[in-house]
Amino acid sequence: MYLANPTQPKAVTTADKVFEQIQHAIVEGDIASGSKVSEPELAKYYQISRSTLREALNRLEKCHLIERKANVGSRVVDCTIEGLLELYITREALEGMACRQAALNMSDKEIVDMKAMLKAHGQTQELKDGVAYYQEEGDLDFHYKIILGSHNKQLIDLICGQLYHLVRMYRCQFGMNSPRASRAFNEHFQIIQAISDRDGELAEMLMRRHIAASRKNIENKIAQQKLTEFNDKK
Amino acid sequence: MYLANPTQPKAVTTADKVFEQIQHAIVEGDIASGSKVSEPELAKYYQISRSTLREALNRLEKCHLIERKANVGSRVVDCTIEGLLELYITREALEGMACRQAALNMSDKEIVDMKAMLKAHGQTQELKDGVAYYQEEGDLDFHYKIILGSHNKQLIDLICGQLYHLVRMYRCQFGMNSPRASRAFNEHFQIIQAISDRDGELAEMLMRRHIAASRKNIENKIAQQKLTEFNDKK
DNA sequence: TAAATTTGATGTGTCGACAATTTGTTTTAA
DNA sequence: TTAAAACAAATTGTCGACACATCAAATTTA
């Protein structure tokens, strides 16, 4: 599963391309979360100079996929439960506000397009019920469109340019394939309705609940996993 | 006026130091907002190689003080009214949530310290009424403490590591020296109270209103400036 | 033996030079 | 005269080499 980020400018320079490759590798877990990143090693692997690689690393740091310490080096961020919850709390704040702004700033055409998209998703969902794969893609599409609809560069950059890389990483690595597809779909529908009514306050509230529900869902799932592990040990 | 960012790690490498110098220069307006940044020129000025300068530029980009385009170069972000309003809307979302989390996660000691700080500020304010200088510093102190009190790394990094550089830049360049000192002080007091009561919902609401009021205050001031300019022309 | 120091290997930070791209100017052609 | 093409200057992207800091193993010392 890999979905392009609609706000990410297409790669022109080699540093850009290598950045995208490493980004992909980290998100998908091919480069283990928490592992150290060796500059000479990676430079050799991608057949580029260290300068170019460092440029790529800088971009990875910008979207919070790696962390650097002076004179020591870079590490891939490690996926922890605390980190995941912190991420979702931040999403709740930012996407909630983005949704409010979208209700105020989206053009009528944008709203029509979103409704059409959601309708299309609803139909494929009926066909492929239970198969969360496409729904997953649809979910991200939905969120991206609302964020872009806020017409707020600051919000767009923070959420799409930074948070969502991490969101995708956690989704991949914790194997969260949207176990609540139909409920999420209904929530999406309500949100669109609020935006369509230009009700910013309600739109923000619904989006916050939507993300909070997702967070609680994860918390439960993890608690369940721990329980299973505990039982397996016995 | 320049205030250290408590979350910014102290500079160890030369790239770090140059970063801080340029950051300072941009925030204070010594390097004009919107102007192009020439790598050879700056490298020569600071007597460092272009590689080192580029490392510094990368950090400036991370805190949204410059923008880079491939094969073209870097520009200092330009301070526009729209940008300022977008920034404050983002602040409202993030700091509101940070304040809610602070109410949940701050230790009792942290709360006691904050109350003491606010009390001290109140006393200096009585002495130096009208002199917004210290109050300004106190305002940032207050906000930083709450953000850190959220104990949420994601929020802390986004707000302190990125947004606040821009906030300070706008404050310097638009000359916004807290014209509503005493009102802000009272609002701060209410917020602390809500945190002290562990009332996350109220804390978030008050912080959001506090920032929204600040935003509206700016909008008014700018509208007033425009009016003055208009009258001067006649 | 244990603690402290030295030393060596590895990795990061910085440098100067070359290659590739953009931009503004000049030249050419319609 | 205007528009397109070719050229020249300057700037950014990339490279390989060297300087310096860090960490671990080996040596010294108490």
Side-chain angles (χ1 to χ4, degrees):
Chain A
M1 178 296 305
Y2 197 78
L3 187 71
N5 179 335
T7 64
Q8 192 164 304
K10 59 169 168 276
V12 296
T13 176
T14 53
D16 285 325
K17 291 167 195 161
V18 173
F19 158 68
E20 286 187 355
Q21 293 186 61
I22 303 180
Q23 181 192 17
H24 194 130
I26 290 178
V27 168
E28 304 254 311
D30 297 334
I31 300 177
S33 99
S35 66
K36 189 165 178 341
V37 173
S38 161
E39 292 183 6
E41 189 185 318
L42 273 188
K44 193 179 169 191
Y45 180 80
Y46 289 105
Q47 310 213 19
I48 55 176
S49 74
R50 261 185 62 228
S51 319
T52 306
L53 178 78
R54 278 162 72 84
E55 186 69 37
L57 291 184
N58 268 314
R59 277 168 232 192
L60 290 167
E61 196 185 4
K62 264 170 223 159
C63 46
H64 297 204
L65 289 177
I66 68 170
E67 287 165 350
R68 291 175 73 194
K69 254 202 305 196
N71 286 318
V72 173
S74 313
R75 303 195 81 86
V76 179
V77 294
D78 46 346
C79 294
T80 66
I81 296 168
E82 299 79 39
L84 180 60
L85 297 180
E86 289 186 355
L87 179 63
Y88 269 69
I89 284 172
T90 308
R91 268 190 76 189
E92 191 178 324
L94 286 173
E95 286 200 53
M97 180 58 91
C99 198
R100 174 188 286 258
Q101 298 299 316
L104 304 177
N105 300 334
M106 259 185 158
S107 70
D108 291 337
K109 186 182 177 308
E110 283 178 299
I111 293 177
V112 169
D113 286 352
M114 275 213 70
K115 281 182 174 171
M117 187 192 76
L118 203 61
K119 197 177 171 187
H121 285 165
Q123 286 169 346
T124 64
Q125 196 209 3
E126 283 174 7
L127 293 173
K128 314 202 167 203
D129 212 320
V131 180
Y133 193 84
Y134 285 95
Q135 174 61 26
E136 184 65 6
E137 221 175 70
D139 181 59
L140 282 181
D141 263 0
F142 172 82
H143 284 273
Y144 275 130
K145 279 227 165 64
I146 289 188
I147 296 156
L148 293 174
S150 74
H151 295 194
N152 182 317
K153 282 181 206 155
Q154 198 68 242
L155 286 173
I156 292 169
D157 180 74
L158 287 183
I159 308 175
C160 297
Q162 301 183 46
L163 281 193
Y164 262 53
H165 298 285
L166 274 177
V167 169
R168 275 147 58 192
M169 179 172 178
Y170 273 108
R171 282 197 174 175
C172 272
Q173 311 227 351
F174 282 7
M176 311 185 293
N177 277 332
S178 171
R180 48 185 216 98
S182 67
R183 243 189 81 188
F185 184 78
N186 287 335
E187 289 169 8
H188 286 188
F189 197 83
Q190 282 185 299
I191 290 170
I192 287 279
Q193 193 56 50
I195 290 176
S196 183
D197 294 340
R198 303 294 186 183
D199 187 340
E201 197 177 336
L202 180 62
E204 174 168 15
M205 191 186 194
L206 290 173
M207 178 59 89
R208 284 184 65 152
R209 282 195 192 170
H210 176 59
I211 293 171
S214 185
R215 188 184 77 230
K216 280 162 196 161
N217 185 57
I218 292 162
E219 291 185 72
N220 289 337
K221 199 172 175 182
I222 286 169
Q224 212 175 325
Q225 275 183 4
K226 278 193 176 173
L227 203 65
T228 310
E229 282 171 24
F230 179 74
N231 287 334
D232 285 353
K233 277 188 184 171
K234 285 204 296 191
Chain B
M1 185 272 330
Y2 197 79
L3 187 71
N5 180 335
T7 65
Q8 193 164 303
K10 57 169 169 275
V12 296
T13 175
T14 54
D16 285 325
K17 289 168 197 161
V18 172
F19 158 69
E20 286 187 354
Q21 292 186 60
I22 302 180
Q23 180 192 17
H24 194 129
I26 290 178
V27 168
E28 304 255 313
D30 296 335
I31 299 176
S33 100
S35 66
K36 187 163 180 343
V37 173
S38 162
E39 292 184 6
E41 189 185 317
L42 273 188
K44 192 179 168 192
Y45 180 80
Y46 290 105
Q47 309 213 20
I48 55 175
S49 75
R50 260 186 62 229
S51 320
T52 306
L53 179 77
R54 279 163 71 84
E55 185 70 36
L57 291 184
N58 268 313
R59 277 168 231 192
L60 289 168
E61 197 186 4
K62 264 169 225 158
C63 47
H64 297 204
L65 290 177
I66 68 170
E67 288 165 350
R68 292 175 72 192
K69 253 202 305 197
N71 286 317
V72 173
S74 313
R75 304 196 81 86
V76 179
V77 294
D78 47 346
C79 294
T80 66
I81 296 168
E82 299 78 39
L84 179 59
L85 297 180
E86 289 186 355
L87 179 64
Y88 268 69
I89 284 172
T90 308
R91 269 189 75 188
E92 190 178 324
L94 286 173
E95 287 199 52
M97 181 58 91
C99 198
R100 176 188 284 260
Q101 297 301 315
L104 304 177
N105 299 334
M106 260 185 157
S107 70
D108 291 337
K109 185 180 178 307
E110 283 177 300
I111 294 177
V112 169
D113 286 352
M114 275 213 67
K115 282 184 174 171
M117 187 192 75
L118 203 61
K119 196 176 171 187
H121 285 166
Q123 287 169 346
T124 65
Q125 195 209 5
E126 283 174 6
L127 293 172
K128 313 199 167 205
D129 211 320
V131 182
Y133 192 85
Y134 285 94
Q135 175 60 26
E136 185 64 5
E137 221 175 70
D139 182 59
L140 282 182
D141 263 2
F142 172 82
H143 284 272
Y144 274 130
K145 279 226 164 65
I146 288 188
I147 296 155
L148 293 174
S150 73
H151 295 195
N152 182 316
K153 280 181 208 155
Q154 199 68 242
L155 287 172
I156 292 169
D157 182 73
L158 287 183
I159 308 174
C160 298
Q162 300 182 48
L163 282 193
Y164 262 53
H165 298 285
L166 274 177
V167 170
R168 275 147 56 191
M169 181 173 177
Y170 273 107
R171 282 197 174 176
C172 272
Q173 310 226 351
F174 282 7
M176 311 184 294
N177 278 331
S178 173
R180 47 185 218 98
S182 68
R183 245 188 81 189
F185 185 78
N186 286 335
E187 288 169 10
H188 286 188
F189 197 82
Q190 281 185 299
I191 290 170
I192 288 278
Q193 193 56 49
I195 290 176
S196 183
D197 293 341
R198 301 295 185 185
D199 187 339
E201 197 177 336
L202 180 62
E204 174 168 14
M205 190 187 195
L206 290 174
M207 179 59 89
R208 283 184 66 153
R209 284 195 190 170
H210 175 59
I211 293 171
S214 185
R215 188 185 77 231
K216 281 163 195 160
N217 185 57
I218 292 162
E219 291 185 73
N220 289 339
K221 199 172 174 183
I222 286 169
Q224 210 174 325
Q225 275 182 5
K226 277 192 176 173
L227 203 65
T228 310
E229 282 171 24
F230 180 75
N231 286 335
D232 285 353
K233 276 187 185 171
K234 284 204 295 190

